[in-house]
Amino acid sequence: MKLKTEGRTRAQESTNAIERMYITMRHLFNRGFYKPMGVSGETLREGLLALRPEIYGSVAEDKAELSGLLYVLERLPIGIEQCRYINLTSDEGYGDSHFQPIVPPKRRRNCYRIDEEQMNIEITRGRSEIYDILTHLTFLFIESHKIMRRVVIDEDGSVNRDWKKLEAVVLSDKEIDKSEREVALTHTANILGRTFFEVSTIYPKFSTPGNPEQFLHIIYWMGKLAIEETVNNDKRIITFSPILRERLGHHIHGEVWADKIKKYLVEEELLKRPIHIISANMHSVMNTLYAPLALKAEIKKKDILQIYEMLSDSSNGQVRQKVSKLALSGGMKFIEDSSGTNIDVQVFDTAKLEEGFRNKEFKSLKDEDKPVIIVMDYAFGEQAYETMDELLKPYIIEGEEIKINVRSVSIMGKAGILEGGKGDIMIPSAHIFEGTADNYPFKNELAKDDLEGHGIKVVDGSMITVLGTSLQNRDILKFFHDSTWNVSGLEMEGAHYQKAIQAASKLRKSIAEDVQVRYAYYASDNPLETGSTLASGGLGTTGVKPTYLITEKILEQIFNS
């Protein structure tokens, strides 16, 4: 009994640490600025080191965390490690300036390098995005001070030989050959407290066509700024623009985004038709509906799953273009985001489809009874509430309030699974909001039986909507898994989506009270298994089969409802 109590206490301590971090971040945001490695950033640093989240690996150890560093830098703008001043702003007009936007490869957000010392990051997705960035930056700065402690050898800032050798390579203009690179990586391995093999393995993952030596540059600049911070007291500073602080929480971007969609529905006379909203990626619904028509010759040689895998490979541009071209001429409208939400949209007018989807009566239906499908790209955390809340509101034309005929809302996404592996499927029956007892049970139109029998493991139960995936550690996850809440996985948007759907259907009555909801997630990782966290890399083709299986089931229900 004692062991169980201790385990539970560790989970509670971790939960309290997360809550303290979020309270601190809100306080710092309201204050307007802070120094991450100063007194004001101490709570965030202590919280992260106490938590030791799975995604950040060995952050609390002396040696550098390489996989976590790659994960973080893929979600932050290139060059941020060189900047002493990081300014979080709203959409304040930089898009019309001479500044070139820098978009991180794994997180679409506009960032602008203002000068040698300053990086501006545009926040358009609400508090979750701020929490995400501040957590990643806290990790980055902790790692930079590990480098500093390993290279500074006395109080006046003298550095060791390894650092001098790395600096000489980074500041040199000439290209280096393989032998010179390996010498530099040897010194870098000493600086990071890692083996030559570990450093050589991670090095190419940081390389870009424009900067093959980017890994060496990142380590150098992280260390350089940490040395200046310690020796010269040149502290790094994070600021929040007054406009961002004023706008946050007012749904400014979500309202503009939703109005653009509704305006298109009005123009095309689609507003009164049966409307089905799907939150998913920008390819699976389009490919499921149009690939069988566009790729008839290819389908004779390969089964449909192989076709989907082919379409998921970015190198098959010609085949993808074929499907996209047919879709755009055969009922699909692509609405590129211009609101700042970074959520693109596809609208499918199925009356323009030759056939339905597994519905023999489709052709005999009147056009006004054929579904209109709105596919919205993934929201991020709390942004899910803002966008769904705005989308489900009535549209006002010349003072008249017109309700949208929403018949169903389907959410398909990636989530961390607590019992299983990458590519498995989770069918939730409720969403629970982390750190609270807030729970959102619902009748899920998708059932475990619908997706079983296809060679993929399917689990059901509750899903935890977490404040941020990057703060979950083994103790919290194990507690979720073992608790009576019957949790099968964790993600960041479910409770926010359901809160908006329930408000619109049950309280505001802006959509039908009996609106159908569908939630299904496929596992992007198992954060309880070392080597299976998000930092271990993407799904590859493992995600193709569950993605299209869920998509087919959603479409089957929409066309037969």
Side-chain angles (χ1 to χ4, degrees), residues 416-419 426-428 459-463 481 486-490:
I417 197 166
L418 299 184
E419 193 170 327
M426 290 154 277
I427 304 293
V459 296
D460 54 11
S462 305
M463 296 285 285
H481 181 255
N486 185 28
V487 174
S488 60
L490 63 146

Side-chain angles (χ1 to χ4, degrees), residues 228-282:
E228 289 175 354
E229 205 160 38
T230 307
V231 177
N232 305 330
N233 204 30
D234 291 337
K235 297 289 187 196
R236 284 171 280 196
I237 297 173
I238 294 175
T239 53
F240 307 92
S241 81
I243 304 295
L244 174 64
R245 289 156 66 204
E246 180 189 312
R247 285 179 176 175
L248 198 72
H250 290 292
H251 288 203
I252 288 165
H253 301 287
E255 186 178 4
V256 173
W257 173 82
D259 281 351
K260 189 174 180 180
I261 298 163
K262 292 171 193 172
K263 185 171 181 282
Y264 173 75
L265 295 175
V266 169
E267 287 168 355
E268 297 297 314
E269 299 181 353
L270 302 174
L271 205 59
K272 299 284 178 75
R273 294 259 298 277
I275 289 173
H276 300 264
I277 298 165
I278 304 175
S279 170
N281 52 62
M282 287 283 102

Side-chain angles (χ1 to χ4, degrees), residues 2-17:
K2 188 182 175 189
L3 281 172
K4 189 177 178 185
T5 309
E6 281 176 2
R8 198 167 162 183
T9 303
R10 282 196 296 272
Q12 288 170 334
E13 283 172 0
S14 297
T15 301
N16 289 338

